[in-house]
Amino acid sequence: MTATDPSLTALAQGWCALSLLHGRIETHIERALQAGHGLSVREYSLLDVLSRQHDGDGGHLQMKQVADAVVLSQSATTRLVTRLEDRGLLERYLCPTDRRGIYTNVTEAGLALLTKARPTNDAALREALDEAATRRELAPLVRVVESLNVPA
């Protein structure tokens, strides 16, 4: 295999298209969430992930699980949690069965903001995908995204 191997070139082009699609979507959603709700994409994602916790087995996420879900390092996730906690949107508490564990919950104010921001996020995502679908190099990726049925 050489650097000019057609399969490597196609693979690189596919990666570039995927990266371009992701960047366009994230930028579009970021602008909409910032303008409408004062939230970044990462803040919205964190609130969304944490709002899906429940009291059953495995219902509360450890910080590593939260970091994986929002695609950030643990330290960046901790800083993000702290910022949202300072805004009154999240609260931390000790795990009742393991005093070393710390959980994070969305506050009532956080849930209210998330409820208001969710339609904005969804509409911005739809708009970004519709715009990307008009571009020849992105249309196949949009179709794949739209065909996915991944549980939240």
Side-chain angles (χ1 to χ4, degrees):
M1 235 180 252
T2 66
T4 57
D5 185 310
S7 65
L8 289 178
T9 301
L11 189 62
Q13 288 172 338
W15 170 243
C16 286
L18 181 59
S19 182
L20 177 63
L21 178 63
H22 177 268
R24 286 172 169 264
I25 291 170
E26 189 168 61
T27 298
H28 192 78
I29 294 172
E30 180 83 27
R31 285 184 185 136
L33 287 172
Q34 283 289 350
H37 309 283
L39 284 174
S40 71
V41 169
R42 298 286 187 209
E43 291 168 337
Y44 174 86
S45 296
L46 180 63
L47 289 171
D48 185 52
V49 165
L50 291 174
S51 75
R52 297 173 193 277
Q53 296 182 118
H54 56 83
D55 288 331
D57 286 342
H60 287 274
L61 301 173
Q62 297 173 350
M63 197 54 73
K64 178 170 181 0
Q65 294 169 306
V66 174
D68 289 346
V70 296
V71 193
L72 289 173
S73 68
Q74 281 186 260
S75 60
T77 302
T78 299
R79 288 190 300 273
L80 184 58
V81 165
T82 299
R83 281 198 313 269
L84 292 178
E85 187 177 35
D86 290 346
R87 289 174 58 187
L89 303 174
L90 296 177
E91 60 188 0
R92 292 182 231 206
Y93 65 96
L94 290 175
C95 172
T97 58
D98 179 0
R99 292 300 203 185
R100 295 170 297 172
I102 297 175
Y103 290 133
T104 305
N105 270 342
V106 182
T107 63
E108 289 299 320
L111 287 173
L113 181 58
L114 180 62
T115 299
K116 289 178 186 173
R118 189 168 274 128
T120 302
N121 179 78
D122 295 348
L125 173 59
R126 181 74 265 157
E127 290 166 5
L129 287 170
D130 288 347
E131 189 280 325
T134 66
R135 298 191 51 162
R136 182 184 51 78
E137 72 277 16
L138 299 178
L141 293 172
V142 171
R143 287 192 297 274
V144 169
V145 169
E146 292 174 335
S147 72
L148 294 175
N149 189 11
V150 180

